[in-house]
């Protein structure tokens, strides 16, 4: 059990708007994601200089974030050794809950949701988005550049932008599932598939956390992040960068629709997905990758069939 010193604060303090700047909030979310993914073992050093290089920022905001996480009891500062990990995120703790989205993340999510619902046309100018969302041109451009990096938007000749097709037609959704069956199930069967034990435990904690919480306590970002992290991580154990990059782009396309349609999901369907995920992880942990691929095939195929049976108006591609 970690004993709090007189200068430490409660976990809720990171939720206060004044606690972290926009840059610090982005860094904090990245560090928490790395902790959740098992980057460091307990008592392992967390280097502020290494993280600054990885994130492409100066050392000062990274150090400030690590100090804030130390106040939460996740890290500890040990003189010349710097920071080291004390514990992973506990069940019920989420990155979204511990660090609210920055302004840039909020704008990004609003643009994604608006595009999914058709509030933003396939082709649009920065000026139109500035007026529609009441944001600065710089903020809009940064969000669009991020979407460009993710392969879901591209700059047109001139001053406009074009968005990639959303998964809003039956044909696009069917093709998305076909693509994922090939990529995800195939990734489990590549030679030298190597799962990471710490990441398996992190993914299991994510899924059990969803199972244990009532649906009104699960945000759409929490669910999509846990779902996308599961699928991307099990593919990453293939060691094939092209498979990972392809799935990340697919998840970016899915994010547009699924963040918008989360309210249509029932707790039953969320629980079914989480139990499927846990079964797949169990098979992977036992080394039976063929069985894991078969379970994943059934999981994705069942989700695809659910969409076909119920229709887009009542059911979204939730996995």
């Amino acid at each position: 059990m970690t004993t709090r010193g007189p200068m430490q604060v409660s976990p809720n303090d990171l939720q206060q708007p004044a606690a972290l700047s926009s840059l610090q909030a982005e860094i904090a979310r990245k560090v928490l994601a790395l902790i959740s993914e098992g980057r460091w073992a307990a008592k392992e050093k967390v280097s502020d200089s290494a993280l600054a290089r990885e994130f492409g920022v100066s050392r000062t905001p990274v150090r400030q974030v690590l100090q804030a996480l130390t106040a939460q009891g996740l890290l500890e500062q040990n003189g010349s050794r710097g920071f080291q990990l004390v514990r992973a995120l506990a069940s019920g703790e989420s990155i979204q809950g511990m660090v609210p989205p920055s302004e840039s993340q909020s704008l990004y999510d609003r643009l994604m949701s608006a595009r999914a619902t058709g509030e933003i046309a396939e082709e649009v100018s920065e000026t139109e988005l500035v007026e529609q969302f009441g944001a600065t041109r710089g903020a809009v451009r940064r969000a669009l550049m991020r979407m460009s990096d993710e392969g879901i938007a591209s700059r047109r000749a001139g001053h406009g932008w074009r968005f990639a097709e959303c998964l809003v037609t039956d044909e696009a959704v069917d093709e998305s599932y076909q693509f994922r069956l090939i990529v995800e199930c195939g990734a489990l069967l590549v030679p030298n598939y190597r799962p990471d034990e710490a990441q398996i435990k992190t993914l299991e904690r994510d899924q059990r956390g969803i199972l244990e919480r009532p649906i009104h306590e699960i945000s759409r970002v929490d669910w999509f992040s846990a779902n996308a992290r599961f699928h991307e991580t099990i593919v990453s154990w293939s060691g094939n960068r092209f498979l990972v990059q392809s799935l990340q782009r697919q998840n970016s396309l899915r994010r547009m629709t699924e963040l918008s349609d989360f309210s249509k999901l029932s707790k039953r369907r969320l629980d079914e997905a989480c139990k499927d995920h846990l079964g797949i992880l169990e098979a992977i942990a036992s080394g039976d990758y063929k069985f894991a691929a078969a379970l994943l095939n059934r999981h994705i195929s069942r989700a695809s069939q659910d969409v076909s049976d119920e229709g887009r108006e009542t059911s979204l591609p939730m996995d």
Side-chain angles (χ1 to χ4, degrees):
M1 180 176 179
T2 301
T3 301
R4 295 185 180 275
M7 297 302 293
Q8 291 181 314
V9 296
S10 71
N12 288 334
D13 288 339
L14 268 186
Q15 298 182 38
Q16 301 302 316
L20 298 176
S21 68
S22 178
L23 174 60
Q24 291 169 338
E26 291 292 335
I27 294 171
R29 292 173 67 84
K30 290 179 180 179
V31 173
L32 287 169
L34 292 176
I35 292 174
S36 179
E37 292 164 7
R39 166 72 70 89
W40 304 281
K43 300 301 181 182
E44 185 174 348
K45 181 179 179 180
V46 179
S47 171
D48 53 353
S49 58
L51 287 172
R53 289 193 298 271
E54 182 175 344
F55 299 156
V57 298
S58 68
R59 189 175 175 180
T60 298
V62 173
R63 190 172 184 81
Q64 291 167 338
V65 166
L66 297 184
Q67 289 170 340
L69 297 180
T70 297
Q72 291 212 26
L74 291 173
L75 306 178
E76 64 182 7
Q77 202 166 356
N78 187 11
S80 60
R81 285 179 53 82
F83 299 91
Q84 60 186 30
L85 184 68
V86 172
R87 65 174 179 85
L89 272 65
S91 178
E93 286 183 322
S94 69
I95 297 173
Q96 179 75 8
M98 297 179 75
V99 184
S102 64
E103 291 183 11
S104 61
Q105 180 66 43
S106 295
L107 177 60
Y108 172 85
D109 289 341
R110 290 172 62 200
L111 289 173
M112 292 285 267
S113 179
R115 174 63 191 127
T117 58
E119 295 175 47
I120 298 177
E122 183 177 336
E123 296 183 1
V124 68
S125 70
E126 290 180 9
T127 299
E128 290 172 325
L129 294 177
V130 166
E131 295 175 353
Q132 183 174 349
F133 292 91
T136 64
R137 184 175 295 274
V140 167
R141 183 167 297 170
R142 285 191 294 272
L144 291 170
M145 290 300 295
R146 175 179 171 183
M147 292 179 177
S148 177
D149 291 340
E150 295 172 346
I152 56 179
S154 59
R155 192 189 293 272
R156 295 173 54 213
H159 302 288
W161 289 79
R162 179 191 297 273
F163 287 97
E165 181 183 9
C166 297
L167 303 181
V168 294
T169 66
D170 291 342
E171 182 180 10
V173 171
D174 288 343
E175 290 176 0
S176 172
Y177 279 115
Q178 292 166 7
F179 171 86
R180 294 180 57 216
L181 282 169
I182 294 169
V183 170
E184 296 189 42
C185 297
L188 286 165
L189 301 177
V190 302
N192 302 317
Y193 184 81
R194 290 191 179 89
D196 181 276
E197 184 177 349
Q199 289 182 320
I200 288 177
K201 292 180 180 178
T202 296
L203 294 177
E204 288 175 338
R205 188 184 67 246
D206 283 349
Q207 299 304 310
R208 291 195 178 99
I210 298 291
L211 277 172
E212 293 168 0
R213 291 154 63 189
I215 194 166
H216 68 270
E217 292 183 4
I218 304 171
S219 75
R220 60 184 185 173
V221 175
D222 282 345
W223 164 245
F224 187 88
S225 297
N227 189 27
R229 184 161 53 248
F230 168 82
H231 288 279
E232 289 180 16
T233 302
I234 65 173
V235 170
S236 75
W237 294 331
S238 70
N240 187 310
R241 74 194 71 180
F242 300 106
L243 293 177
V244 175
Q245 291 169 0
S246 296
L247 187 60
Q248 287 173 337
R249 183 177 184 276
Q250 182 70 195
N251 278 338
S252 293
L253 292 175
R254 292 172 59 212
R255 183 188 299 270
M256 282 189 178
T257 302
E258 296 191 18
L259 287 180
S260 174
D261 290 349
F262 176 78
S263 60
K264 297 177 184 177
L265 281 178
S266 67
K267 188 63 165 66
R268 178 187 62 80
R269 295 190 66 204
L270 285 175
D271 288 351
E272 282 180 355
C274 291
K275 290 174 182 177
D276 281 356
H277 291 168
L278 289 169
I280 293 164
L281 290 172
E282 183 179 0
I284 291 174
S286 71
D288 194 341
Y289 306 140
K290 288 185 178 179
F291 184 48
L295 291 176
L296 181 59
N297 185 299
R298 184 186 67 175
H299 172 65
I300 296 175
S301 298
R302 183 167 59 191
S304 175
Q305 189 60 48
D306 285 345
V307 173
S308 298
D309 291 344
E310 299 177 23
R312 286 284 303 157
E313 291 303 315
T314 58
S315 175
L316 72 155
M318 51 81 69
D319 213 336

